[in-house]
Amino acid sequence: GAVVSQHPSWVICKSGTSVKIECRSLDFQATTMFWYRQFPKQSLMLMATSNEGSKATYEQGVEKDKFLINHASLTLSTLTVTSAHPEDSSFYICSAPGRVSGDTQYFGPGTRLTVL
Amino acid sequence: GNSVTQMEGPVTLSEEAFLTINCTYTATGYPSLFWYVQYPGEGLQLLLKATKADDKGSNKGFEATYRKETTSFHLEKGSVQVSDSAVYFCALSDGSYDKVIFGPGTSLSVIP
């Protein structure tokens, strides 16, 4: 089946630094990818839709200058958390849709970000 | 907008008990419905899905039926095992955009 990978799986950084998280579709192309964040013991909240070749679409309340998304190719999307602060600490998960509209999403394993 | 509501738990059951986790949704059009499972320390996995009304999704003894008239997609299993302990998320997908909207999740603990 389709596989989505994320790198790194976890990262610890100091407040004020920027962190880049990569999401790759390993055996299929994805013109669209999605970024979610999950707080402990809570559900996944959609942050933005990453579109290959165009700007990302952000959900209401998500700061686009804070969470920079770049869909560099048909197999890679990156999320950069700029000037990270402790409140940005969370579990970030990406996904890519299956080939058929309405099909399942394939989720990456997630990246645990801890900002000190 | 689209949304998903599910019983939040936590739910604690004895092994071999019957499980029901209720899920209802609000959506325009005809979404696809999913149940995802997240085992401790692991990523999300698709458990089952249904893409149209009256479809029944099933996997690993779990099943759920897409009920358009009640806008529900309740998850059931006849006999749970300790290994079923996890968080279960009901979700829907708007086919025109493919993004997935998740419910709040239900934590299930099965005790021997």
Side-chain angles (χ1 to χ4, degrees):
Chain A
V3 176
V4 174
S5 70
Q6 283 184 240
H7 178 80
S9 56
W10 59 270
V11 56
I12 301 173
C13 69
K14 293 182 179 180
S15 186
T17 60
S18 295
V19 175
K20 179 185 285 188
I21 302 170
E22 294 184 347
C23 176
R24 294 181 184 273
S25 56
L26 295 186
D27 53 357
F28 67 105
Q29 294 182 334
T31 57
T32 302
M33 291 184 178
F34 301 96
W35 285 96
Y36 296 83
R37 66 185 296 183
Q38 184 181 28
F39 291 103
K41 299 185 178 181
Q42 295 189 28
S43 189
L44 283 76
M45 292 180 53
L46 179 65
M47 298 175 65
T49 303
S50 174
N51 304 299
E52 192 270 335
S54 63
K55 293 182 179 180
T57 305
Y58 290 82
E59 296 299 302
Q60 191 172 10
V62 177
E63 300 176 61
K64 61 182 180 181
D65 295 331
K66 174 75 170 176
F67 299 100
L68 299 179
I69 291 173
N70 181 31
H71 202 130
S73 73
L74 288 172
T75 59
L76 173 64
S77 175
T78 59
L79 168 68
T80 301
V81 183
T82 62
S83 186
H85 290 283
E87 58 266 28
D88 299 323
S89 299
S90 189
F91 195 53
Y92 293 88
I93 303 170
C94 71
S95 72
R99 293 176 180 81
V100 177
S101 179
D103 199 355
T104 186
Q105 292 280 328
Y106 296 98
F107 286 85
T111 297
R112 173 76 59 193
L113 170 64
T114 302
V115 184
L116 302 177
Chain B
N2 297 343
S3 66
V4 177
T5 304
Q6 63 181 104
M7 56 188 289
E8 296 195 26
V11 175
T12 302
L13 295 174
S14 297
E15 204 165 21
E16 298 184 2
F18 184 86
L19 169 71
T20 299
I21 301 178
N22 290 336
C23 170
T24 57
Y25 67 91
T26 301
T28 55
Y30 303 94
S32 295
L33 301 175
F34 308 89
W35 277 99
Y36 285 88
V37 58
Q38 188 174 36
Y39 296 103
E42 298 185 16
L44 277 177
Q45 300 177 29
L46 176 67
L47 180 60
L48 53 85
K49 69 175 183 179
T51 58
K52 61 182 187 297
D54 300 324
D55 267 2
K56 177 184 285 188
S58 61
N59 185 26
K60 300 181 181 179
F62 291 90
E63 58 182 34
T65 302
Y66 190 146
R67 301 288 189 199
K68 187 173 184 297
E69 63 276 13
T70 55
T71 62
S72 65
F73 193 54
H74 304 322
L75 181 69
E76 296 182 335
K77 186 174 186 181
S79 176
V80 293
Q81 305 300 313
V82 173
S83 57
D84 293 327
S85 298
V87 180
Y88 293 82
F89 294 95
C90 185
L92 68 82
S93 175
D94 180 336
S96 63
Y97 295 102
D98 285 330
K99 61 184 179 182
V100 179
I101 306 299
F102 287 88
T106 300
S107 175
L108 170 67
S109 295
V110 180
I111 55 178

